[in-house]
Amino acid sequence: MLRVSLLLCFLLTIESVSSSTDNFCRDDFPPAPAFVFGASSSAYQVEGAAAEDGRTPSIMDTCAHAGHFHGATGDVACDTYHKYKEDVQLMADTGLEAYRFSISWSRLIPNGKGPVNPKGLQYYNNLIDQLISHGIQPHVTLHHSDLPQALDDEYGGWVSRKIVKDFTAYADVCFKNFGDRVLHWTTMNEPNVFVLGGYDTGFLPPQRCSIPFGLNCSRGNSSTEPYLATHNILLSHASAARLYKKNYQDKQRGFIGINLFAFWFFPRTKTIEDELATQRGFDFYIGWYLNPLVFGDYPDVMKKNAGSRIPFFTRLESQSVKGSFDFIGFNYYLAVYAEDNSISLKNTNRDYIADSAMKRIGLQNDTTFEFPITPWGLQRLLEYVKQNYGNPPIYIHENGQRTRRNSSLEDWPRVKYLDGHIQALLEAVRNGSNVRGYFVWSFLDSLELLDGYESSYGLYYIDLDDPDLRRQPKLSAHWYSQFLKRKNVISLDGFIKSLSHDRVQ
């Protein structure tokens, strides 16, 4: 039977959110630190200095140097490794209350396990101290698709149970050295996409797949490894969370969670087949992780469709994973249609995508570069989680608009996107969703996994041909800054009128 909350989507139109929040301000949300607004990044996408001061390659380096990010690499990227002081000052000038970044495991522990790199330790200590000195709350992610290549070479990384011990030891180093100042820890960034792209279709690192599901992979098994990697990721998360809660949380007073990528799915047609496919979409994309975390086991439809290919939780494993979080992070960008593809279940050789028996269809022509602006999807996603998973504390860790990198600094599509989504978030908060923060992706234009340097999500533009990599504010940076700083209401009309007066210095 379909869940009652899913049926709500048929009663709502797919138009932009219409509410009384056309004029809104920062003070309509709870004050910091109860609710924070910030921006996000990840280590490989912004740090640069890829071979400096003891850092060794990660699977991201390997994938980039094989030419899979449109020929782009993170060797230099935004060079935040050297420019972190300048960037933190820019964050403060913009008015950020929090900054979400990831730690490069192979910069901190070059072999993935064993001795800590003093230079790496110093860099992250310096960055954290710089943020705190400017009143900016650090939110740290431990794994953002950049497993040390040494561990992938040694035992296959996330497909091996050995990873649980090594990830927990890495997390322990971070808690021990940074936990006196870092209060928000995220173990994994969108592992549901990481395993789909890295172990099924093979278009993301570590590029494991098998024919016919993925191409150009020299190793892997698309039928089993996405499920196996997910199982080990959940066990690794639970192990690190258990360690934090046992040894550090009482003293450091922090929080630990995990992050997931989420679409809002809605049926392509009003047929029962597409309605059921929509529910499978939620179960396969979100329930794959949230069900074990909240209820202790995978969704029934996943166990039925994947059969023996999906690992089972022992009683102790289930108890360890269940409840092993203080918050859930979501990366949300857009809503998509779900269409039934049950015919895929007739195939004897299936991967995760075939098991889901669902096609994901975009709302607009694939040749359109920018995302459709669907803030109502964010609002309904939060309502769905509230109704089905007990309304856990939530952070929107990524939300942003994709544009071409060399487009104008007058990025109106991004301004309209942020305006709509923050309004929708306000409505969700007023309706009782337990949201604690919102982070724009991204603070700076950076290396993107799907487009290299051809696309842009940043509030600030960086000319890669400029030796100094000067940061230039876009219109969206001015809009976000005005939203964060002004006490009076803000609207797009009001923002237009204020452009000549309220510019980020």
Side-chain angles (χ1 to χ4, degrees):
M1 180 179 293
L2 289 175
R3 295 173 186 155
V4 174
S5 59
L6 176 59
L7 298 179
L8 292 174
C9 75
F10 304 119
L11 304 177
L12 299 170
T13 67
I14 59 171
E15 297 173 351
S16 297
V17 172
S18 175
S19 67
S20 60
T21 57
D22 290 338
N23 293 329
F24 64 101
C25 69
R26 170 63 183 90
D27 288 346
D28 289 325
F29 291 85
F35 192 107
V36 294
F37 281 93
S40 286
S41 70
S42 87
Y44 186 73
Q45 292 172 266
V46 299
E47 281 183 2
E52 290 186 37
D53 292 341
R55 183 187 180 276
T56 59
S58 73
I59 58 175
M60 292 277 279
D61 295 86
T62 302
C63 191
H65 282 272
H68 292 282
F69 301 149
H70 289 236
T73 76
D75 291 355
V76 177
C78 304
D79 198 26
T80 61
Y81 185 76
H82 297 109
K83 299 173 77 70
Y84 72 92
K85 290 183 180 179
E86 172 188 335
D87 288 336
V88 172
Q89 183 62 58
L90 192 59
M91 294 174 204
D93 293 343
T94 306
L96 296 194
E97 299 162 357
Y99 177 56
R100 176 176 174 254
F101 64 96
S102 71
I103 289 175
S104 169
W105 187 346
S106 60
R107 188 183 298 283
L108 189 63
I109 306 174
N111 293 322
K113 56 185 176 182
V116 174
N117 175 20
K119 291 287 188 178
L121 189 66
Q122 180 183 23
Y123 169 70
Y124 291 112
N125 270 320
N126 289 344
L127 173 59
I128 292 165
D129 288 344
Q130 197 75 15
L131 288 166
I132 291 175
S133 71
H134 286 78
I136 300 171
Q137 194 179 90
H139 286 235
V140 173
T141 301
L142 296 176
H143 182 266
H144 198 121
S145 304
D146 58 349
L147 179 76
Q149 186 62 49
L151 298 184
D152 191 66
D153 291 341
E154 181 182 345
Y155 51 70
W158 293 109
V159 297
S160 171
R161 187 65 66 94
K162 293 179 180 178
I163 193 69
V164 177
K165 178 181 178 181
D166 289 337
F167 180 78
T168 306
Y170 159 57
D172 192 29
V173 170
C174 294
F175 300 151
K176 186 178 301 180
N177 287 281
F178 311 130
D180 58 330
R181 290 151 293 155
V182 173
L183 300 182
H184 298 84
W185 296 98
T186 303
T187 54
M188 312 284 176
N189 179 76
E190 54 185 39
N192 48 346
V193 170
F194 172 68
V195 299
L196 175 59
Y199 296 86
D200 188 340
T201 60
F203 71 91
L204 292 176
Q207 295 183 280
R208 298 177 69 102
C209 64
S210 58
I211 295 174
F213 310 109
L215 302 174
N216 301 319
C217 293
S218 60
R219 55 184 181 153
N221 185 325
S222 298
S223 294
T224 59
E225 288 191 353
Y227 297 116
L228 182 59
T230 284
H231 202 71
N232 290 331
I233 285 172
L234 283 167
L235 295 179
S236 297
H237 158 80
S239 177
R242 185 168 62 251
L243 173 74
Y244 183 73
K245 292 174 180 294
K246 178 182 177 182
N247 294 351
Y248 297 100
Q249 193 167 49
D250 285 346
K251 181 179 180 180
Q252 297 178 353
R253 313 300 294 176
F255 309 92
I256 190 164
I258 191 170
N259 166 283
L260 300 173
F261 182 91
F263 293 109
W264 172 255
F265 293 102
F266 64 105
R268 182 69 179 87
T269 71
K270 292 185 178 180
T271 62
I272 188 64
E273 290 82 8
D274 283 357
E275 293 174 15
L276 290 168
T278 301
Q279 184 59 60
R280 285 197 303 275
F282 289 116
D283 286 335
F284 269 78
Y285 272 83
I286 299 174
W288 193 9
Y289 284 80
L290 274 192
N291 277 46
L293 290 164
V294 175
F295 306 120
D297 200 3
Y298 296 114
D300 289 341
V301 69
M302 295 195 75
K303 293 191 292 182
K304 176 183 176 182
N305 290 5
S308 61
R309 291 179 288 115
I310 192 168
F312 69 92
F313 289 104
T314 66
R315 182 178 59 84
L316 290 178
E317 288 172 349
S318 176
Q319 291 175 350
S320 174
V321 172
K322 182 179 179 180
S324 61
F325 64 94
D326 298 315
F327 64 85
I328 299 295
F330 281 113
N331 297 346
Y332 172 85
Y333 289 90
L334 71 161
V336 295
Y337 290 120
E339 183 175 86
D340 179 62
N341 189 37
S342 295
I343 193 172
S344 66
L345 295 175
K346 295 182 179 181
N347 300 328
T348 55
N349 183 24
R350 297 200 301 271
D351 67 341
Y352 162 91
I353 296 173
D355 287 339
S356 72
M358 183 270 295
K359 291 181 180 178
R360 174 172 56 85
I361 303 173
L363 301 187
Q364 63 186 22
N365 192 298
D366 288 341
T367 61
T368 304
F369 200 80
E370 296 159 5
F371 293 139
I373 301 177
T374 56
W376 46 268
L378 174 61
Q379 190 173 341
R380 295 171 202 178
L381 169 69
L382 293 172
E383 182 67 23
Y384 179 86
V385 174
K386 182 179 76 173
Q387 294 291 338
N388 291 285
Y389 293 100
N391 203 17
I394 287 174
Y395 287 90
I396 304 303
H397 275 156
E398 293 184 19
N399 180 242
Q401 177 62 285
R402 175 187 186 228
T403 59
R404 297 190 185 278
R405 184 175 185 89
N406 291 323
S407 57
S408 170
L409 294 178
E410 305 294 306
D411 58 341
W412 279 110
R414 185 166 291 108
V415 172
K416 294 176 182 177
Y417 183 100
L418 297 179
D419 175 84
H421 284 82
I422 293 176
Q423 287 192 48
L425 184 65
L426 179 57
E427 284 297 290
V429 170
R430 287 173 170 170
N431 288 336
S433 288
N434 193 9
V435 186
R436 305 292 179 87
Y438 172 90
F439 294 78
V440 173
W441 182 272
S442 54
F443 186 62
L444 304 172
D445 282 349
S446 57
L447 172 69
E448 293 296 336
L449 304 193
L450 298 182
D451 305 303
Y453 291 114
E454 295 178 14
S455 66
S456 154
Y457 292 79
L459 300 172
Y460 288 85
Y461 169 74
I462 299 176
D463 182 355
L464 297 177
D465 294 325
D466 176 4
D468 294 327
L469 297 175
R470 181 168 63 94
R471 282 73 164 124
Q472 300 179 57
K474 303 178 188 178
L475 203 61
S476 56
H478 298 304
W479 182 89
Y480 197 44
S481 181
Q482 178 168 309
F483 165 71
L484 292 173
K485 291 180 178 180
R486 294 177 71 97
K487 299 296 183 182
N488 58 313
V489 295
I490 183 173
S491 66
L492 287 181
D493 288 341
F495 172 63
I496 294 171
K497 294 175 183 178
S498 70
L499 281 178
S500 60
H501 304 290
D502 287 324
R503 290 282 181 171
V504 176
Q505 300 299 316

